[in-house]
Amino acid sequence: QVQLVESGGGLVQAGGSLTLSCAASGRTFSRSTMGWFRQAPGKEREFVAAIRWSGGNTYLADSVKGRFTISRDNAKNAVYLQMISLKPEDTAVYYCAADRSYYSLQDPVNIGSYDYWGQGTQVTVSS
């Protein structure tokens, strides 16, 4: 059974930092695109960041460029989201996602490109 488990969320003041982790189990994702999405109350789930299998190609939403960094460790079957200079508008539940396909070039920004999802971790940024 495939599982994605996020961790690292919490409460932080504006300007602070957090690093989210996503540990995958049940199969390897070393040849798959993985991503992070977030959903704030009353809003749709939105793309945050994605990374291809090699780690050489990353994608970031305009709203987080320069502040967030996505990385992965294929040996650990894990993906990370480092967040700095956090803003109150970053408050949301953050979800890890993974594409079931190998070496797929599906649009990494598209929520429909992902087949597996974690349960989410809450990030709250206070002003």
Side-chain angles (χ1 to χ4, degrees), residues 7-127:
S7 60
L11 173 64
V12 64
Q13 289 189 331
S17 304
L18 283 174
T19 296
L20 305 183
S21 300
C22 173
S25 62
R27 57 157 280 184
T28 179
F29 289 101
S30 62
R31 291 168 283 179
S32 302
T33 300
M34 299 188 75
W36 289 94
F37 287 73
R38 66 186 181 187
Q39 187 167 18
K43 294 188 177 181
E44 292 188 350
R45 194 170 297 190
E46 65 174 5
F47 170 77
V48 176
I51 186 167
R52 295 297 194 194
W53 44 90
S54 67
N57 293 91
T58 60
Y59 308 83
L60 293 168
D62 287 343
S63 60
V64 306
K65 284 180 180 176
R67 301 187 299 120
F68 290 12
T69 302
I70 186 171
S71 61
R72 65 190 298 161
D73 185 338
N74 286 338
K76 295 183 178 180
N77 214 20
V79 65
Y80 308 97
L81 186 68
Q82 182 181 13
M83 307 183 293
I84 66 171
S85 302
L86 283 161
K87 304 175 180 179
E89 50 263 44
D90 294 319
T91 295
V93 177
Y94 283 71
Y95 297 91
C96 175
D99 183 349
R100 72 168 59 203
S101 304
Y102 293 159
Y103 307 121
S104 172
L105 295 179
Q106 291 189 100
D107 183 1
V109 175
N110 189 336
I111 196 170
S113 297
Y114 299 89
D115 304 287
Y116 301 108
W117 293 85
Q119 82 290 346
T121 185
Q122 177 70 48
V123 171
T124 303
V125 185
S126 63
S127 56

